[in-house]
Amino acid sequence: MKTSRGAWAVAGVVAGLTGLATSYFVAMVMTIRSSPVVAIAELVIRMTPGRWAEKAISIVGHKDKPILVGVILVASVLLFAVAGRLAASAWWKSTLLFAALAGVATWSVASEHNPSGVDFLPVVVGFVTWLVSLALLSQSLVGRPAPTAVDGEEAPAGRSRRGFLIGAGAMAALAIALSGVGRVVGAGRRHVEQTRRLLRLSGVSQPTVPAGARLDLPGLHPWMTPSDDFYKIHTAIVVPAIEPVDWKLRIHGLVDHEVEITYQDLLDRQLTEGWITLNCVSNPVGGDLIGNAWWSGVRLAELLAEAGLHPDADAVLQTSDDGWTCGTPVSALTDDRNAMLAVAMNGKPLPIDHGFPVRTIVPGLYGYVSACKWVVDMEVTKFSEISAYWTQRGWGEQGPVKMSSRIDVPRFGDKVDPGDVRVGGVAWSQHTGISAVEVALDGGDWQPAEISHPPTDDAWVQWAATVSAAPGDHTLKVRATDKNGLVQTGAVADVLPDGATGWHTIGFTARA
C-alpha cells in the first residue's frame, strides 16, 4: 500500500499528543507540580532576559503564560508531524527526534528547584507512549499483508486505511480522556483550597478601613483592594499548592544556629497586622500593578533575631517552593517596618495565588526583591555572594519603592461636562509616606489636591481636586511629595532596572 506523507504526519501528531496526555495524566495523579510542557514553559521564562520579558508583557499583557504554553504546544505538534514523516523512511529517525524532545523536557525538569527522581516519571511515560503509539499506527501505514479468512489472499489496501483511521481515532480519544481524567484526578490544588477555606486563624482580625483613609469621589480605586482584584505576578505556570501541614521554613546561613519553622509554629506566635501597599517593579507610570491590603503574620525581625544574625550579613536569599528567588536587604527585615511572614490577607488565609500558606511582605520594597510567595527557605548571606532570579536578569539589587502617583478620575479619553471637574487618584511612597499631591491642567501651575490620611505610611493615599475645564480637549498631570519633602520627579524612566518614574498624564475632553 502506498501511503501519503500526510497520513504519516497525522500518525506522528496523534502519537505525540497521546504521549503528552499520558505524561500530564501521570503528573496529575502523582501530584507532581509540573508536567513536561509546564516545565519547558517555566524554563523558557527563567532563561528569558528581563528586557525581553518586559517587552512581551507590554505587548500581550498578563496573558503571556497561556500564550507561551500555546506556542509550545503548537511547536510540539509541528515536531510530532515531522517525527511521523521521518518514521515513513526509518523508525530510528523518529525515535531520535522523540528522544531529543524528551531530552529538552528532562533538562527543563532538572532545572527546577530541588527535583526528585519521581519528577522525571511523566517524561519517561510520555516518551515510551510516543514510541509505542507511533509503532502501532505505523503497522497500518506500512501496509503489511494480512491474510483473509477465506482463501489466504492479501486484504485490500482499504482495510489497512480503515485500520489506521480506527487506531488513530482510538488514540485521539484516549488522549482526550486521559487529559480530562488527569484534570479531575489532579485535585491537589482543590484539596488545598478546601483546606484553606476551612482554616480559622486565631489572632487574625477582619479589616475595617480606617477613618480618614479614603475620600468620597466616585471612580476612585478602593482604598482596600479586594483579594480577588489584587494584582498577581509570578513566574510559575502552575502555582504551588502546599498543604499547611507540609509547609516549613528553614532559616540558615550566616546565623548562630539554624531555625526551622512549621505552619503551626507561626500560628502559635504573636501575630502582627497592618495595612501595606504592594507594587510590582514592572508597574509603568499610571499602571495598575499595585494594591493595598490588610496583612497578618509574624514579624521577621523576631525570627531572625532568634537565629542570631552575623554582623557581616547584609542580605537574605529567599526561595519559593517553585524555585524562584529574591535577595532582600537584612536592614529592611530587621528595622521598625512591619516586615512579616504573612499568613492572611484581608482577614482570611492567603489565597493560593498570593502565596498560601505563607509568603513574605516587606513594606517599602518592590516585590521582586522581597515579596516571596510560597516561601520555604531563607539563607542569611551577603549580596556579593548571591544572584537572585530577577537581579541576574538585569534588575537592580536593592529595589526600594519609588514615589509615584496615578490619576483614576477621569480616565484617559473620558468625556466630561465643562466647568468644575472633580479629579482624583492615588499616590504612594511606602515606609516614607505622602505629605502632598498636586495637579496641573494643560501645563498650567501646580495646584494642591486634598489627600486622605491613613494611620500608616506603608499604605497609599487617595487624592482629589477640582479643576476648571472649558469645552475642548485637556491634559491633566499629577505629582506627589513625600514626608521627607522630596518632590516626585518628572523625569521619564523605564521600569528597568529599578522602577518607572515620571508624572502620570492623561487626556480628557470637556463636552462643548
Side-chain angles (χ1 to χ4, degrees), residues 355-445:
F356 180 81
V358 181
R359 66 169 296 168
T360 311
I361 298 292
V362 184
L365 297 181
Y366 285 120
Y368 82 102
V369 298
S370 66
C372 187
K373 301 177 183 177
W374 317 289
V375 60
V376 294
D377 189 272
M378 288 187 168
E379 179 188 0
V380 180
T381 180
K382 303 175 184 178
F383 277 113
S384 61
E385 297 180 359
I386 62 173
S387 179
Y389 185 94
W390 283 115
T391 53
Q392 66 186 2
R393 288 164 171 78
W395 297 82
E397 186 175 72
Q398 301 285 328
V401 168
K402 294 181 177 179
M403 173 174 42
S404 193
S405 52
R406 188 182 74 195
I407 301 169
D408 291 341
V409 181
R411 301 289 182 181
F412 181 84
D414 276 358
K415 292 181 172 57
V416 302
D417 292 331
D420 288 343
V421 177
R422 291 287 284 168
V423 300
V426 289
W428 59 90
S429 181
Q430 294 95 306
H431 201 56
T432 300
I434 297 293
S435 64
V437 173
E438 299 169 293
V439 295
L441 184 68
D442 299 331
D445 293 338

Side-chain angles (χ1 to χ4, degrees), residues 249-337:
L249 172 70
R250 179 186 176 217
I251 301 176
H252 61 105
L254 298 179
V255 296
D256 294 336
H257 57 272
E258 293 189 8
V259 174
E260 190 169 274
I261 304 165
T262 67
Y263 190 69
Q264 190 59 49
D265 290 337
L266 282 183
L267 299 185
D268 290 340
R269 291 172 176 264
Q270 178 67 43
L271 295 185
T272 184
E273 297 184 299
W275 292 104
I276 301 172
T277 296
L278 298 185
N279 55 305
C280 181
V281 70
S282 296
N283 196 33
V285 173
D288 59 1
L289 298 181
I290 184 169
N292 185 54
W294 176 249
W295 303 96
S296 309
V298 174
R299 280 180 56 85
L300 271 163
E302 298 172 3
L303 297 174
L304 294 174
E306 291 178 16
L309 301 181
H310 290 190
D312 55 343
D314 64 3
V316 173
L317 182 66
Q318 302 188 59
T319 302
S320 167
D321 182 75
D322 70 342
W324 184 85
T325 58
C326 67
T328 311
V330 165
S331 58
L333 300 176
T334 56
D335 63 12
D336 62 347
R337 75 187 75 197

Side-chain angles (χ1 to χ4, degrees), residues 403 429 432-436 480-489:
M403 173 174 42
S429 181
T432 300
I434 297 293
S435 64
T481 301
D482 70 18
K483 290 187 176 180
N484 290 332
L486 178 66
V487 179
Q488 179 186 343
T489 180

Side-chain angles (χ1 to χ4, degrees), residues 141-165:
L141 293 177
V142 169
R144 294 177 178 174
T148 64
V150 178
D151 54 11
E153 294 182 356
E154 292 184 6
R159 187 174 301 176
S160 295
R161 294 192 184 95
R162 286 195 298 273
F164 168 73
L165 293 175

